[in-house]
Amino acid sequence: MVNEKRKMMKFLDAEFVKGFIRMATDGCNMGWHERNGGNLSYRVKPYEVDEVKEELKAGEWREIGAAVPNLAREYFLVTGSGKFFRNVQDKPEDSICLIELDEKGENYRIMWGLVNGGRPTSELPSHLMSHEVKFLKNPEYRVIYHTHTTNIIALTFVLPLDEKVITRELWEMATECPVVFPDGVGVVPWMVPGGREIGVETSELMKSYDIVIWAHHGIVVAGTDFDIAFGLAHTAEKSAEILVKTLSMSPKKLQTITPQNFRDLAVDFKVTLPEKFLYEK
Ligand code: 2HA
Ligand code: ZN
């Protein structure tokens, strides 16, 4: 009984909620979340739901706009549609919500948050479809994060929208990149945001990648926890920034990391780097 009592806590004191708020705030401080740009979701662990269940209150069932049967009855902490990341820390109860999915994975209901009304992120179908793909591959995956990373967006205007080219460019600009995202990056051409279609394209690429670029819009990353997901976005965006600076100085690189350098790195760092990215230029 004593143990049970100790496990209960205020919603906003729970570690998963604090981690979510910190990540939203960090993203905002990076300049990636102008106005209501970007969205974040976290698949909550059963014991974490238990910790806060005294504060949960079920709202009406509403349609997700996509079917994710493998996520039936799962709980997600998500940012709200039209809500600003810069307000998440000061007004979490107005900016984010905890949702529960129904037994078919077709409807959700709000269990906490969005106290002044509203809905979960407009990209909920994309988030949930990507969560489903990741969950089926590895149930350790819990975070999906969409953000408007300035330099990656800029590069989608000047690089071919080809996963081989963009992966290779990002790998070349920062030595840690092939270690942080050895599978490479997926690329979705420009699409209307917020719908099921962009969710289908993104989740298809999530079968192979942890980072998907939305041309002229931003990125979606997947991770097992907040640190891993944020770190992935940060690493890729930093590399993009170095490429933007390099291209601003000169259209041609005088020297770079070579395909053989990558192969040597792969051995020492025990990662597998697909040969499709190590073509001769
Ligand atoms: O405004 O970023 O993609 C939220 C978004 C939609
Ligand atoms: Zn967006």
Side-chain angles (χ1 to χ4, degrees):
M1 267 325 268
V2 175
N3 266 345
E4 273 296 300
K5 263 222 149 66
R6 208 187 307 144
K7 269 197 265 162
M8 289 286 179
M9 57 178 72
K10 283 267 186 219
F11 193 89
L12 292 172
D13 289 338
E15 280 306 316
F16 75 98
V17 181
K18 289 199 281 190
F20 183 98
I21 293 173
R22 178 172 163 223
M23 177 153 164
T25 306
D26 286 349
C28 185
N29 290 338
M30 296 302 290
W32 299 341
H33 294 283
E34 72 290 343
R35 206 173 181 278
N36 59 320
N39 22 78
L40 173 62
S41 63
Y42 171 73
R43 187 168 56 82
V44 187
K45 298 172 184 166
Y47 86 83
E48 293 172 324
V49 177
D50 270 357
E51 282 176 348
V52 299
K53 67 173 181 249
E54 272 181 358
E55 277 187 61
L56 305 188
K57 195 161 156 284
E60 303 274 293
W61 288 109
R62 292 179 187 167
E63 283 179 7
I64 293 168
V68 284
N70 295 289
L71 300 178
R73 297 193 188 284
E74 292 277 346
Y75 285 72
F76 293 85
L77 190 59
V78 298
T79 46
S81 177
K83 300 295 181 181
F84 293 20
F85 265 54
R86 68 186 289 268
N87 292 333
V88 167
Q89 189 165 42
D90 287 348
K91 293 192 261 174
E93 64 291 337
D94 172 62
S95 309
I96 67 176
C97 61
L98 182 76
I99 59 171
E100 181 192 10
L101 305 196
D102 69 0
E103 72 289 349
K104 287 189 175 149
E106 291 177 6
N107 299 283
Y108 71 88
R109 59 181 179 178
I110 294 175
M111 302 297 290
W112 185 93
L114 290 180
V115 291
N116 297 309
R119 295 174 157 269
T121 167
S122 58
E123 303 288 2
L124 189 65
S126 248
H127 277 249
L128 293 181
M129 280 188 262
S130 289
H131 273 294
E132 187 176 47
V133 162
K134 289 301 188 190
F135 173 74
L136 290 173
K137 274 195 87 169
N138 176 359
E140 299 280 300
Y141 275 77
R142 296 198 169 268
V143 180
I144 299 288
Y145 178 42
H146 164 58
T147 181
H148 295 176
T149 40
T150 314
N151 294 284
I152 293 178
I153 298 170
L155 289 177
T156 64
F157 294 92
V158 299
L159 292 180
L161 297 178
D162 175 334
E163 63 192 36
K164 290 198 204 67
V165 175
I166 296 187
T167 297
R168 177 65 176 277
E169 289 298 326
L170 292 178
W171 280 5
E172 277 184 35
M173 303 320 289
T175 295
E176 67 183 321
C177 285
V179 180
V180 175
F181 50 96
D183 297 331
V185 304
V187 184
V188 172
W190 187 88
M191 291 183 75
V192 175
R196 192 179 161 278
E197 285 72 30
I198 195 166
V200 170
E201 293 296 319
T202 306
S203 58
E204 192 54 38
L205 288 168
M206 282 288 178
K207 290 178 183 164
S208 314
Y209 305 109
D210 282 347
I211 172 163
V212 175
I213 294 176
W214 285 357
H216 323 324
H217 182 159
I219 58 172
V220 182
V221 297
T224 48
D225 63 27
F226 297 120
D227 282 344
I228 296 292
F230 190 83
L232 176 53
H234 197 179
T235 306
E237 170 61 5
K238 172 90 184 265
S239 184
E241 182 180 350
I242 297 168
L243 183 54
V244 168
K245 286 187 199 296
T246 304
L247 292 173
S248 309
M249 291 185 282
S250 162
K252 273 182 93 122
K253 298 171 205 158
L254 209 51
Q255 55 271 321
T256 186
I257 305 171
T258 67
Q260 191 52 46
N261 292 155
F262 285 121
R263 292 185 191 105
D264 295 344
L265 180 98
V267 173
D268 275 21
F269 281 78
K270 298 182 179 45
V271 289
T272 304
L273 300 179
E275 278 292 320
K276 68 176 175 180
F277 300 124
L278 302 181
Y279 52 88
E280 290 300 328
K281 292 195 209 171

